[in-house]
Amino acid sequence: MTIRVRFAPSPTGHLHIGGARTALFNWLFARHTGGTFILRIEDTDEVRSTVESVQAIFDGLRWLGLDWDEGPVAAMKIAGTEHYPSKGPATGFGFYYQMERLPLYKKAVDQLIAEGKAYPCFCTAEEVQKMREKAESLKRQPKYDGTCRDLTPEQRAQKTKEGRSATIRFKAPLSGTVQFHDDIKGDMKFDNDQLDDFVIMKSSGVPTYNFACVVDDHDMQITHVLRGDDHLSNTPKQVLLYRALGWDKEMPTFAHLSMILGPDGSRLSKRHGATSVQEYQQKGYLPEALRNYLALLGWSTEDSQDLFSFDELIQKFTVDRCVKSAATFDPQKLEWMNGEYIRKMSVRELTERALPFLRDAGLIQGDVEAMRPELEKVIALEQEKIKLLTDVPKRIDIFLKEVPYDPEAVEKVLRKPDVPALLEESIKAFEALDSFSAAATEEACKALAVRRGIKNGAVFHPVRVSVSGRTQGPSLFHMLELLGKGKSIDRIRKTIAFLSAR
């Protein structure tokens, strides 16, 4: 059997962490087994689905490195109207936007109606809500009460004549159970009396999620459905639909991934911080680090390995290593992991990845090739301390522009009475150097401390704040070497002028 899996997001927003984890697990499963990974856009939410959200999903998946074997080509606007170009693969499974697949859903609905397994329902949303409220008041399952389930053809014709629109409901069994095997959770069993005659097609002719999902998965020959366990309650409905449509022998294997919780134990949400892939990209995370971390949310190896190359993830990923218990999203571990990836990266690659963030910070512009060697040197100086790409501008800005003095550094270091004279002497010491290497400047500063009868730090700290405006930063003497003799002395002179003016 050739494995065929799909990721089927609803384009109502950006690609969030839970969806990205689902996409990754499906992608890894397909790549591990030599199967096919399909992207399908479930855009039947006519109000909230947008082209911009489709593009955000595309961009998020591509940034994570998750390519698809079958699926849409692009999302664009043509002549001011929303249009979804699709590309059918050579194997001919049709379009990959659900709104382009409406004839398939109608055909399946017509089959169910003809076989007495579905029926038109003329109840309004308000009437259905009252049914549910009444059931709750009687401490019963709040569900549709079957008002239209057994209407005669004449009664249905009369309601249509009255101008009442109809949804199509599935005629669910009133007793018995639905059973299926879940590859993660094991054997599952649901009582049919807990289900109602759920809507499978809206009055607009657009299918509901559960129905469209079954028709599409069958049509696209999906063999395995890996998705979040928030969909577990949908599965018995889908199993019933497979059986009613006569597709039960071709029903996919289900595997429901564990829930992702925030650090406080509640379901992961915006109150825990960033939730979309795009936000993590903007915060300076690496796609390989986020991908690695997402793989560990509900899956692990026998030896509890933490860091994986992409090839290792593909090689080691199996569904039987997915766990039932909820996974906790730990932002600190993700940041640690991102730092680990940054430290292992070549300086050239890190510089390339940091360029967009340096541009956004206004530190570079235009063609940077001429200054790339300098950038690589200063980034290398700080690489061990960088955790996020957004750290890079903040750590190397002192090399690319003059930065304001930190007020606390001024009061703590520069305000001492002897600092101006000490800085004057440091200028003379630096001017006398033939080589402005880290070793030479360190020796000059230590010699100055000896001459003045003070500790080394009493020289080091004022010099550091003078050239960088801060008390923290790169190694002082390597910083001086990269700044160069002229720029370092110029900044010390400006500090002396700053102090005398106050």
Side-chain angles (χ1 to χ4, degrees):
M1 177 180 63
T2 300
I3 300 296
R4 290 178 60 84
V5 294
R6 47 70 167 181
F7 175 54
S10 176
T12 56
H14 288 109
L15 178 62
H16 57 80
I17 287 297
R21 193 267 305 258
T22 298
L24 174 63
F25 280 31
N26 277 279
W27 189 93
L28 289 172
F29 183 46
R31 296 295 175 259
H32 177 81
T33 59
T36 299
F37 176 63
I38 298 163
L39 175 62
R40 184 173 75 224
I41 303 298
E42 299 194 337
D43 57 346
T44 54
D45 188 329
E46 301 151 282
V47 176
R48 298 193 301 149
S49 294
T50 67
V51 173
E52 291 75 19
S53 294
V54 173
Q55 194 61 54
I57 291 167
F58 288 173
D59 293 343
L61 291 176
R62 285 171 176 152
W63 181 72
L64 284 171
L66 307 181
D67 57 333
W68 50 93
D69 304 304
E70 298 175 17
V73 175
M76 62 181 69
K77 289 185 177 180
I78 296 178
T81 62
E82 292 187 354
H83 177 68
Y84 303 122
S86 296
K87 179 182 179 182
T91 44
F93 288 95
F95 296 117
Y96 293 90
Y97 289 95
Q98 287 186 327
M99 290 301 286
E100 295 179 318
R101 300 172 60 81
L102 297 182
L104 277 75
Y105 311 131
K106 185 177 186 306
K107 179 180 178 182
V109 162
D110 289 346
Q111 175 188 330
L112 292 177
I113 293 174
E115 295 175 356
K117 298 174 182 176
Y119 60 90
C121 172
F122 300 91
C123 298
T124 64
E126 293 76 14
E127 289 170 337
V128 173
Q129 180 60 30
K130 288 180 180 178
M131 294 176 198
R132 289 174 175 158
E133 290 172 355
K134 180 179 179 181
E136 283 183 327
S137 69
L138 298 173
K139 296 184 178 181
R140 296 175 183 169
Q141 183 77 7
K143 60 182 184 179
Y144 178 69
D145 66 3
T147 296
C148 296
R149 181 180 175 112
D150 297 312
L151 293 179
T152 64
E154 292 75 22
Q155 289 173 317
R156 290 172 182 166
Q158 179 59 36
K159 289 185 179 292
T160 300
K161 185 177 180 181
E162 293 170 0
R164 300 194 66 158
S165 59
T167 60
I168 305 299
R169 288 184 180 273
F170 177 69
K171 189 176 286 188
L174 301 176
S175 61
T177 61
V178 180
Q179 301 182 49
F180 60 92
H181 179 78
D182 186 293
D183 268 5
I184 295 174
K185 296 183 177 295
D187 292 330
M188 306 299 296
K189 181 178 179 181
F190 293 83
D191 292 329
N192 286 330
D193 62 8
Q194 297 299 301
L195 305 176
D196 63 1
D197 288 357
F198 53 93
V199 175
I200 58 176
M201 185 166 283
K202 294 177 276 189
S203 58
S204 62
V206 175
T208 58
Y209 165 75
N210 282 307
F211 187 66
C213 180
V214 167
V215 173
D216 289 342
D217 284 348
H218 175 263
D219 182 66
M220 295 178 182
Q221 299 181 13
I222 300 302
T223 61
H224 293 74
V225 172
L226 279 66
R227 58 189 179 190
D229 67 358
D230 53 326
H231 284 288
L232 184 60
S233 60
N234 290 319
T235 308
K237 298 177 183 179
Q238 293 175 14
V239 170
L240 288 174
L241 286 169
Y242 272 105
R243 292 172 180 168
L245 289 162
W247 300 337
D248 44 314
K249 291 183 179 179
E250 301 151 22
M251 188 163 56
T253 298
F254 295 98
H256 290 87
L257 307 172
S258 61
M259 185 183 298
I260 302 176
L261 305 178
D264 61 358
S266 62
R267 192 179 187 86
L268 187 67
S269 66
K270 288 187 176 181
R271 70 174 177 275
H272 297 114
T275 58
S276 75
V277 168
Q278 184 184 48
E279 287 176 285
Y280 283 95
Q281 181 181 5
Q282 293 169 345
K283 285 176 176 290
Y285 286 87
L286 302 172
E288 52 266 55
L290 183 58
R291 191 170 60 214
N292 188 155
Y293 185 71
L294 290 177
L296 298 176
L297 294 178
W299 173 83
S300 65
T301 56
E302 291 183 4
D303 57 359
S304 299
Q305 181 179 346
D306 271 331
L307 299 175
F308 299 83
S309 69
F310 214 176
D311 287 341
E312 281 183 307
L313 282 175
I314 293 171
Q315 178 188 351
K316 297 187 177 185
F317 182 85
T318 57
V319 174
D320 61 2
R321 293 296 305 174
C322 294
V323 298
K324 298 179 184 179
S325 56
T328 300
F329 191 90
D330 183 350
Q332 291 183 335
K333 183 171 181 179
L334 172 57
E335 187 174 285
W336 163 83
M337 186 173 288
N338 204 71
E340 289 293 304
Y341 272 88
I342 284 177
R343 282 185 282 279
K344 292 179 179 180
M345 190 176 287
S346 71
V347 175
R348 183 169 184 79
E349 177 67 16
L350 177 56
T351 302
E352 188 65 32
R353 301 278 193 106
L355 290 180
F357 298 91
L358 293 169
R359 287 195 178 95
D360 288 345
L363 296 177
I364 60 173
Q365 55 186 343
D367 186 9
V368 299
E369 285 309 308
M371 65 183 302
R372 187 182 289 272
E374 178 188 355
L375 282 175
E376 290 183 5
K377 287 179 181 178
V378 298
I379 288 175
L381 191 61
E382 289 287 77
Q383 184 168 3
E384 287 297 313
K385 301 174 186 176
I386 295 170
K387 294 181 179 179
L388 303 171
L389 293 177
T390 45
D391 293 341
V392 177
K394 294 178 284 188
R395 288 197 168 274
I396 72 166
D397 59 350
I398 57 175
F399 296 99
L400 303 175
K401 69 174 185 178
E402 291 190 27
V403 297
Y405 299 105
D406 176 58
E408 187 176 340
V410 172
E411 296 302 319
K412 182 179 178 181
V413 177
L414 298 183
R415 280 294 174 207
K416 295 179 180 178
D418 59 341
V419 165
L422 185 148
L423 291 177
E424 290 280 8
E425 287 190 53
S426 72
I427 291 175
K428 293 177 182 178
F430 288 161
E431 286 178 330
L433 294 175
D434 293 327
S435 167
F436 207 69
S437 65
T441 55
E442 182 176 6
E443 185 178 343
C445 286
K446 287 181 177 178
L448 175 57
V450 170
R451 287 197 302 274
R452 294 183 66 89
I454 56 179
K455 293 181 178 180
N456 289 337
V459 177
F460 296 174
H461 297 319
V463 171
R464 172 183 289 280
V465 176
S466 295
V467 298
S468 72
R470 306 164 186 162
T471 57
Q472 302 293 325
S475 159
L476 170 60
F477 304 108
H478 287 94
M479 177 170 61
L480 291 171
E481 180 179 333
L482 289 177
L483 281 170
K485 187 174 184 177
K487 188 178 289 186
S488 297
I489 291 175
D490 183 55
R491 289 187 180 183
I492 295 173
R493 284 201 176 106
K494 288 181 178 178
T495 301
I496 296 171
F498 166 77
L499 292 173
S500 63
R502 292 173 67 88

